[in-house]
């Protein structure tokens, strides 16, 4: 029997997309920094003007799954990393958003065969979110590691599929330019330093 296990080497050709929610950007920008640091230390160039990582900013976590799905369907990326923060307030809003985001991200991965990493913090308080975005540790690093490991693992399985029972997943292959109307590569690759009062409703 064959054992498949992802590694963190030979990443020069990896192509990633990172989808970031602007809502709670005090948290999401810190997660992004941790993610970029991890990628850089593992040989992936996180420069938004480079060729390996594209950045797509969306209004909030709820919009992340739709964009992640379109990116996965494009066939241009080895993995998609989703970064967001949903913080519990005094209304049921948290439960609805957290549930739909998690289901949407999972569905994108299942439907396309592209690793879509769940990097959405779901916490009871801003303090808990801050602790996970750099005060104690930065989960952004972990999300990047998950993406790199899954890219390696999927490549191994698809390579094996050429001569064994593991078949390459072609669900996401499409000739339709699904990104042409929604994502401008020049604008989507720019960082945002926009800030303001984005308290959870």
């Amino acid at each position: 029997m064959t054992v498949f296990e992802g590694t963190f080497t030979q990443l020069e050709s990896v192509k990633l997309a990172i989808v970031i929610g602007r809502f709670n950007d005090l948290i999401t920008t810190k997660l992004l920094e941790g993610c970029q640091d991890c990628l850089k230390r593992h040989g992936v160039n996180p420069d938004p003007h480079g060729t390996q990582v594209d950045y797509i900013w969306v209004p909030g976590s709820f919009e992340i799954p739709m964009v992640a799905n379109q990116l996965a369907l494009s066939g241009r990326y080895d993995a998609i990393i989703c970064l967001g923060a949903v913080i519990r307030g005094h209304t049921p809003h948290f439960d609805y958003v957290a549930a739909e985001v998690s289901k949407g991200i999972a569905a994108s991965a299942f439907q396309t065969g592209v690793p879509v990493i769940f990097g959405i913090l779901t916490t009871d308080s801003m303090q808990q979110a801050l602790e996970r975005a750099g005060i104690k540790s930065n989960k952004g690093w972990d999300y990047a590691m998950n993406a790199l490991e899954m890219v390696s693992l999927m490549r191994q399985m698809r390579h094996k599929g050429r001569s064994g029972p593991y078949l390459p997943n072609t669900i996401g292959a499409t000739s339709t330019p699904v990104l042409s109307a929604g994502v401008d590569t020049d604008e989507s690759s720019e960082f945002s330093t926009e800030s303001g009062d984005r308290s959870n409703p």
Side-chain angles (χ1 to χ4, degrees), residues 47-165:
D47 187 340
H49 302 294
T51 60
Q52 288 194 271
V53 184
D54 287 340
Y55 298 87
I56 301 87
W57 288 86
V58 298
S61 293
F62 193 82
E63 291 76 25
I64 288 176
M66 182 186 71
V67 173
N69 189 63
Q70 290 295 299
L71 293 168
L73 284 171
S74 74
R76 293 168 50 192
Y77 302 99
D78 296 296
I80 317 295
I81 303 173
C82 302
L83 301 178
V86 185
I87 301 172
R88 188 180 298 277
H90 299 290
T91 69
H93 181 263
F94 170 92
D95 301 293
Y96 298 131
V97 173
E100 293 306 314
V101 171
S102 60
K103 288 189 292 186
I105 290 175
S108 295
F110 292 148
Q111 292 168 5
T112 65
V114 176
V116 183
I117 306 303
F118 184 84
I120 312 297
L121 291 182
T122 54
T123 64
D124 289 327
S125 67
M126 178 63 76
Q127 179 63 27
Q128 290 179 351
L130 289 169
E131 289 173 357
R132 289 156 178 78
I135 291 180
K136 290 185 176 180
S137 64
N138 193 318
K139 298 294 289 183
W141 176 286
D142 297 336
Y143 304 144
M145 289 290 282
N146 293 346
L148 297 178
E149 184 173 355
M150 285 301 295
V151 168
S152 173
L153 179 61
M154 296 301 289
R155 284 179 172 180
Q156 290 179 43
M157 294 176 65
R158 288 168 182 166
H159 178 74
K160 178 67 175 180
R162 298 190 184 103
S163 58

Side-chain angles (χ1 to χ4, degrees), residues 160-183:
K160 178 67 175 180
R162 298 190 184 103
S163 58
Y166 293 94
L167 300 177
N169 191 319
T170 58
I171 294 175
T174 176
S175 59
T176 304
V178 294
L179 294 178
S180 61
V183 177

